Amino acid sequence: MDKRSLLEVSNLQTHFFTEEGTVKAVDTISFTLNRGETLGIVGESGSGKSVTSLSIMRLIPQPPGKIVGGEIKYYPKENEPIDLLALSEKEMQQYRGNDIAMIFQEPMTSLNPVFTCGNQVMEAIQLHLKLDKKAAKELTLNIFQKVKLPDPERIFNAYPHQLSGGQKQRVMIAMAMSCNPDILIADEPTTALDVTVQKAILELMADLKREIDASIVFITHDLGVIADIADKVIVMYKGKIVEQGTVKEIFLNPKHPYTKGLLGCRPPLDFRVKRLPIVSDFMDVHKQEDGSLMITEKTASVQEALDQVKVSTLSLEERQKSLYAQQPILSVKNLSTRFVSKKNFFGRPTAFIDAVNDVSFDVYPGETLGLVGESGCGKTTLGRTILRLVEAHQGEVLFEGRDVLQLNKNDLKELRKEMQIIFQDPYSSLNPRMTIGQAIIEPMQVHRILANDKERMDKVIHLLETVSLEAKHYNRYPHEFSGGQRQRICIARALALNPRFIICDESVSALDVSVQAQVLNLLLELREQFNFTYIFISHDLSVVKFMSDRMMVMNKGKIEEMGNADEIYNAPQKEYTKKLIAAIPKGKVENIQS
């Protein structure tokens, strides 16, 4: 045992026993976490990284899950090592939250909606530190200050739904840090956050780690984030560790094709590619008779894969010339959308928030216009106002010369065929009681597309195949699909009406980088095939840069900056844009500490 060892995981096996057989979610893995170290665990959904963290915390739901083998040894300061798997549940409670704490991926589901944020942090403090109410409140406010929450007293009395995503995540960090744990496990803590909020959370965790001398296990699917925070990296695939080493070793000289795939599928920032490399470009996977996987490498290096898909400057210039020689398909003029923020005693509005404030721009046929900004900047409201899903306060939205805002109900229904939206959360935008075949065929029935249901069903099967799904999926329900597959279903449904203009509203923000790359490639292929026009909304500037011809940066309801996507990224004019670009995880080796 290394004297610096804090946690040693040996031959850990966690299985789930289902009707379809045993799933080896964690399959005989071993690693060590040292004192003062940040260990990154990377992999796609289903790789076993979150189940590893839940196994360490002894939070595996039983049944169907069970830790069936291995050891998890925790080495407290100046005490004998403790085998966490040998403890009773009551004994484990002394260590969980106190010595080993966890920040979960989705703060909204981890915080109790019926208690104030302050009460929830106080509860953890009183349970583990045995402080009275007054001292616990004082400590809670002090921690809220440390995690840089604005107005700690207000946050203390606020309920989770009254806070932004970044603020809720800070409350979760405050709760995890409240007892000065030795080990902090962070499970995808920044996945759905803005790049600026993500950067602030990562910096905060690094500061707090130094302050309380904690070690961090940081779980993510994004190797770009890992470069900014970790000392060592473990890469997991199908329940196994396929590669581990220092951050420099993994980034400079990845050995396993899966690691190369994860590194290759992030949008490059310093040049253009016509499509993103995906994991299957780097490896073939074959199942053996004994159930084990045989992996064969297809591409030698990440750079080789990127070189094959680079776009020349000449073809970019030609595309720009042909796009902007046309008449705009959409013209937005002086558009404003406001929401009521205060009402008087009689229910009359007394104050408003201008979510979209006097915005004007054009979009050209076949173009992708990227719309970027932090949460609350007005980008989603702008997209919904264009489609009349939210009513505008004033202005014009001209689609092929017709003002969408002035159309009556019947004309607007007709226009819905031409203008579609793909929402951020594919699960909540699909009816769980309808099969995916029914979900895609329904808008075709409403708009009387094709002569009968037999023809429509054939079209649905064709659409499923277009988005890389299969005909046999027609009768399955949304819960039977992964996040990436559900997003493909939503894309197929948007395509069912043969639209010409599609708004993609944060449609890849919650997906693994590898699945995200597949969906982005699909959207670009469909644009080439059908000459779609997109407004692509995202808080991730690297994704917007890859997808877009032009980029529009929004801040507080107004357009800060607009122009060629590469020019804005390489030479931003406004401070706000510079801040957004500076916050992108670069994943560059030169940024990594030795």
Side-chain angles (χ1 to χ4, degrees):
M1 179 209 114
D2 185 332
K3 283 179 185 171
R4 290 172 59 241
S5 289
L6 183 57
L7 189 77
E8 284 183 356
V9 174
S10 308
N11 300 316
L12 180 65
Q13 298 165 63
T14 304
H15 296 177
F16 286 83
F17 302 95
T18 70
E19 289 173 7
E20 293 170 11
T22 302
V23 176
K24 295 179 180 180
V26 174
D27 191 3
T28 325
I29 69 165
S30 302
F31 62 87
T32 303
L33 174 71
N34 293 325
R35 289 195 178 277
E37 187 173 66
T38 298
L39 172 70
I41 303 182
V42 185
E44 298 168 285
S45 295
S47 63
K49 56 192 191 300
S50 290
V51 177
T52 300
S53 67
L54 292 172
S55 301
I56 294 167
M57 295 292 286
R58 292 266 307 271
L59 289 173
I60 296 293
Q62 297 185 34
K66 193 180 180 188
I67 299 170
V68 297
E71 270 188 337
I72 301 173
K73 280 196 173 171
Y74 163 54
Y75 294 86
K77 281 175 189 161
E78 294 140 19
N79 278 326
E80 288 300 304
I82 294 149
D83 185 355
L84 298 179
L85 298 184
L87 300 177
S88 69
E89 176 55 29
K90 196 170 181 188
E91 288 169 327
M92 185 64 200
Q93 282 175 11
Q94 295 170 24
Y95 295 98
R96 192 189 294 133
N98 194 12
D99 298 287
I100 306 170
M102 188 159 178
I103 304 164
F104 293 94
Q105 178 172 358
E106 182 38 78
M108 195 64 216
T109 54
S110 312
L111 292 168
N112 192 324
V114 299
F115 291 106
T116 65
C117 296
N119 271 328
Q120 294 183 62
V121 177
M122 266 177 68
E123 183 187 27
I125 289 170
Q126 288 180 288
L127 178 70
H128 292 294
L129 302 184
K130 307 288 187 276
L131 297 179
D132 63 31
K133 208 170 178 181
K134 190 183 174 197
K137 181 176 179 179
E138 211 171 289
L139 183 55
T140 302
L141 289 170
N142 185 26
I143 295 166
F144 279 180
Q145 224 161 1
K146 275 186 186 168
V147 298
K148 300 184 173 72
L149 277 164
D151 194 354
E153 193 74 51
R154 180 185 71 79
I155 302 281
F156 185 93
N157 295 309
Y159 289 90
H161 73 272
Q162 295 173 303
L163 306 183
S164 71
Q167 287 173 337
K168 284 196 282 272
Q169 199 58 283
R170 284 167 193 266
V171 171
M172 287 296 299
I173 292 171
M175 195 185 293
M177 295 289 196
S178 60
C179 301
N180 292 350
D182 271 349
I183 300 166
L184 179 66
I185 300 171
D187 185 7
E188 301 267 14
T190 61
T191 294
L193 300 178
D194 294 343
V195 282
T196 48
V197 179
Q198 172 177 274
K199 188 182 183 196
I201 295 287
L202 294 177
E203 286 171 353
L204 170 66
M205 287 178 68
D207 290 345
L208 292 172
K209 172 191 154 188
R210 282 192 293 274
E211 192 173 318
I212 66 171
D213 192 27
S215 299
I216 295 177
V217 177
F218 193 94
I219 295 166
T220 182
H221 59 253
D222 189 343
L223 271 160
V225 170
I226 282 295
D228 289 352
I229 194 167
D231 304 301
K232 266 189 341 197
V233 187
I234 286 169
V235 182
M236 288 189 75
Y237 177 70
K238 305 279 188 194
K240 289 186 176 289
I241 293 175
V242 294
E243 188 165 1
Q244 57 180 310
T246 66
V247 178
K248 274 204 166 178
E249 286 165 353
I250 296 294
F251 274 77
L252 278 173
N253 191 21
K255 299 280 194 295
H256 198 277
Y258 181 67
T259 312
K260 293 174 189 175
L262 289 181
L263 284 165
C265 60
R266 267 193 68 81
L269 292 166
D270 33 12
F271 54 87
R272 281 264 178 179
V273 289
K274 53 178 175 276
R275 59 176 283 278
L276 291 169
I278 57 175
V279 171
S280 59
D281 291 332
F282 291 86
M283 66 187 205
D284 276 326
V285 183
H286 304 286
K287 204 164 192 177
Q288 311 276 69
E289 281 181 25
D290 63 357
S292 65
L293 300 176
M294 188 177 83
I295 294 171
T296 51
E297 187 166 56
K298 288 164 74 175
T299 307
S301 72
V302 176
Q303 196 55 52
E304 187 182 309
L306 289 169
D307 286 342
Q308 288 171 9
V309 289
K310 262 189 186 174
V311 177
S312 71
T313 312
L314 187 65
S315 61
L316 271 176
E317 286 170 0
E318 282 170 1
R319 176 173 166 76
Q320 298 269 329
K321 221 178 276 179
S322 65
L323 275 178
Y324 305 123
Q326 309 170 91
Q327 287 297 310
I329 190 172
L330 181 84
S331 287
V332 173
K333 297 180 180 178
N334 309 110
L335 187 65
S336 294
T337 307
R338 52 169 43 176
F339 298 119
V340 176
S341 60
K342 253 187 206 166
K343 291 181 180 179
N344 65 14
F345 179 76
F346 302 103
R348 292 195 184 111
T350 57
F352 299 89
I353 291 171
D354 288 313
V356 176
N357 190 354
D358 197 27
V359 165
S360 301
F361 61 92
D362 293 329
V363 188
Y364 294 83
E367 180 186 28
T368 301
L369 175 68
L371 181 51
V372 71
E374 297 170 291
S375 291
C377 71
K379 56 190 188 298
T380 292
T381 304
L382 173 59
R384 292 179 180 214
T385 306
I386 288 167
L387 294 179
R388 285 268 303 270
L389 298 173
V390 172
E391 290 298 336
H393 170 59
Q394 63 182 37
E396 292 179 308
V397 176
L398 302 174
F399 183 75
E400 295 192 316
R402 299 171 75 195
D403 190 351
V404 177
L405 306 185
Q406 303 302 322
L407 296 180
N408 62 36
K409 204 174 175 184
N410 288 336
D411 290 342
L412 186 60
K413 184 180 165 185
E414 270 305 300
L415 192 69
R416 293 264 182 253
K417 286 190 287 190
E418 304 288 334
M419 304 171 82
Q420 284 288 300
I421 186 166
I422 302 165
F423 292 102
Q424 177 172 0
D425 182 0
Y427 198 70
S428 61
S429 52
L430 290 167
N431 187 331
R433 294 186 182 86
M434 289 173 83
T435 66
I436 66 158
Q438 290 168 327
I440 298 169
I441 212 169
E442 185 188 39
M444 295 165 74
Q445 291 166 333
V446 169
H447 289 279
R448 295 187 178 86
I449 305 267
L450 301 176
N452 54 51
D453 278 352
K454 166 74 180 73
E455 287 184 21
R456 290 179 193 123
M457 189 174 169
D458 290 342
K459 171 86 185 274
V460 171
I461 289 167
H462 172 68
L463 286 170
L464 288 174
E465 287 167 350
T466 303
V467 298
S468 304
L469 292 168
E470 296 173 48
K472 67 180 182 186
H473 292 145
Y474 185 96
N475 290 312
R476 292 191 188 170
Y477 289 88
H479 72 271
E480 297 178 70
F481 295 89
S482 69
Q485 287 173 319
R486 283 199 289 264
Q487 199 57 282
R488 288 166 188 273
I489 294 160
C490 290
I491 292 169
R493 187 177 59 180
L495 299 182
L497 299 176
N498 304 320
R500 285 179 300 138
F501 174 79
I502 299 176
I503 293 178
C504 303
D505 184 9
E506 298 275 14
S507 51
V508 295
S509 65
L511 302 178
D512 288 345
V513 282
S514 52
V515 179
Q516 174 180 285
Q518 292 170 29
V519 173
L520 293 175
N521 287 343
L522 171 64
L523 290 169
L524 286 185
E525 281 165 28
L526 293 170
R527 185 183 74 183
E528 299 313 307
Q529 197 176 338
F530 301 107
N531 197 35
F532 286 141
T533 305
Y534 291 130
I535 289 183
F536 190 89
I537 300 170
S538 179
H539 60 254
D540 187 338
L541 212 134
S542 59
V543 169
V544 171
K545 178 184 175 291
F546 164 69
M547 284 294 293
S548 308
D549 298 292
R550 285 184 304 151
M551 195 189 292
M552 190 160 85
V553 182
M554 273 190 88
N555 181 24
K556 295 178 181 169
K558 288 181 174 286
I559 296 171
E560 280 277 328
E561 196 164 348
M562 185 173 180
N564 176 288
D566 291 313
E567 285 169 12
I568 284 191
Y569 176 77
N570 293 322
Q573 300 302 304
K574 297 290 179 76
E575 280 307 312
Y576 179 76
T577 314
K578 289 174 186 173
K579 186 180 83 167
L580 282 182
I581 291 167
I584 302 171
K586 304 294 189 291
K588 292 279 189 187
V589 174
E590 54 266 29
N591 298 339
I592 298 166
Q593 303 295 311
S594 296

